[in-house]
Amino acid sequence: MSNIEQTLSIIKPDAVERNLEGEIKEMFKSNGFQILKEKKIQIEKSEAEKFYKVHETKPFYNDLCEYLSSGPIVVMVLQKENAVKGNRELMGATNPKDAEEGTIRKKYGISIDKNSVHGSDSVDNAKIEIDFFFKPEYKNRFDQISYEYRKKRRTHFKEKEAAQKANSERKKAIIEEIKNHIDKNQNILFWW
Ligand code: CMP
């Protein structure tokens, strides 16, 4: 009997920062996962505290929440037969140095904190975690943050475009200057 499940996966800030989003998604797909939903967002520390509430008594809780909210993340709903267990196997051990060859954390993880991905640890938690990020009632909470993130990105690209334009105008001016110089010095061309 088939046991199709859904689980929540997060590509954490260290992996997004290193542009590993595409490679990690490819690993999910080539291992039979369907990515049903996904969004790139940046969350507030207060949201990370809610998300990781189960760890609130742990000594690493504060750093963990600060880290998850430190940059953009990609949250995804993955689906496959026995997805929760399958995703945990594909991610590998929490600490990348203990993770097996071929797992995401072995391949991309930097440390126990910057371990590139998060995955739900049980079917019950998967439901809670999927709701946390994707429940329609909560949409505005993250849309606002996504909006801020998109705004920052747009500004970044606009600035980049303006710099490129200025650069190409400078190049055009230099070429023009060289042409004028050549026109004025036809004799030099003769000697070439
Ligand atoms: P994750 O699967 O997202 O769940 C909780 C995270 O806490 C875990 O990955 C680690 O990145 C982080 N963490 C930091 N220190 C520890 C630790 N000592 N034991 C377990 N998890 C830790």
Side-chain angles (χ1 to χ4, degrees):
M1 209 177 73
S2 91
N3 183 37
I4 298 293
E5 290 172 354
Q6 293 179 359
T7 189
L8 183 92
S9 169
I10 303 178
I11 304 180
K12 294 188 181 184
D14 67 275
V16 175
E17 196 182 10
R18 286 177 289 150
N19 290 319
L20 296 171
E21 189 186 325
E23 287 177 47
I24 292 177
K25 280 200 251 175
E26 215 33 67
M27 278 182 87
F28 287 126
K29 287 185 207 158
S30 62
N31 279 276
F33 288 93
Q34 256 183 291
I35 301 175
L36 296 186
K37 293 180 188 172
E38 65 170 303
K39 58 185 173 188
K40 191 184 229 173
I41 55 176
Q42 182 163 359
I43 62 170
E44 300 289 347
K45 188 179 176 197
S46 55
E47 298 292 347
E49 283 167 355
K50 283 181 215 149
F51 180 75
Y52 276 132
K53 198 162 172 48
V54 284
H55 295 299
E56 81 182 319
T57 56
K58 312 267 174 60
F60 55 83
Y61 179 62
N62 185 56
D63 286 349
L64 174 63
C65 298
E66 214 144 75
Y67 169 62
L68 194 73
S69 55
S70 67
I73 56 175
V74 178
V75 285
M76 294 172 288
V77 177
L78 304 180
Q79 179 170 286
K80 165 184 162 158
E81 178 112 10
N82 302 315
V84 173
K85 186 165 172 278
N87 181 34
R88 291 189 71 78
E89 284 169 2
L90 180 59
M91 286 193 304
T94 307
N95 193 340
K97 73 174 168 27
D98 302 327
E100 281 184 36
E101 272 322 315
T103 61
I104 297 174
R105 284 168 171 164
K106 177 75 181 181
K107 205 165 173 198
Y108 302 115
I110 298 169
S111 64
I112 194 161
D113 308 294
K114 296 182 174 181
N115 60 357
S116 299
V117 278
H118 165 86
S120 312
D121 63 0
S122 67
V123 174
D124 288 344
N125 279 339
K127 286 196 183 84
I128 294 169
E129 292 185 351
I130 290 170
D131 273 354
F132 186 90
F133 285 109
F134 291 99
K135 205 172 179 172
E137 291 95 297
Y138 299 161
K139 196 168 173 278
N140 290 341
R141 198 173 75 193
F142 294 112
D143 275 0
Q144 179 55 29
I145 297 157
S146 305
Y147 171 74
E148 292 300 330
Y149 173 66
R150 282 197 300 271
K151 207 163 81 178
K152 270 188 220 159
R153 258 173 72 92
R154 260 202 311 273
T155 311
H156 168 77
F157 284 118
K158 266 191 192 151
E159 282 170 2
K160 202 170 152 187
E161 208 177 298
Q164 275 168 348
K165 203 173 157 203
N167 203 12
S168 89
E169 269 161 18
R170 226 179 39 240
K171 276 187 195 154
K172 265 191 219 154
I174 292 171
I175 291 170
E176 204 53 38
E177 208 176 300
I178 293 172
K179 274 188 194 156
N180 288 341
H181 184 77
I182 291 173
D183 287 346
K184 279 190 210 149
N185 297 280
Q186 287 296 333
N187 291 345
I188 298 175
L189 273 182
F190 174 77
W191 289 108
W192 283 0

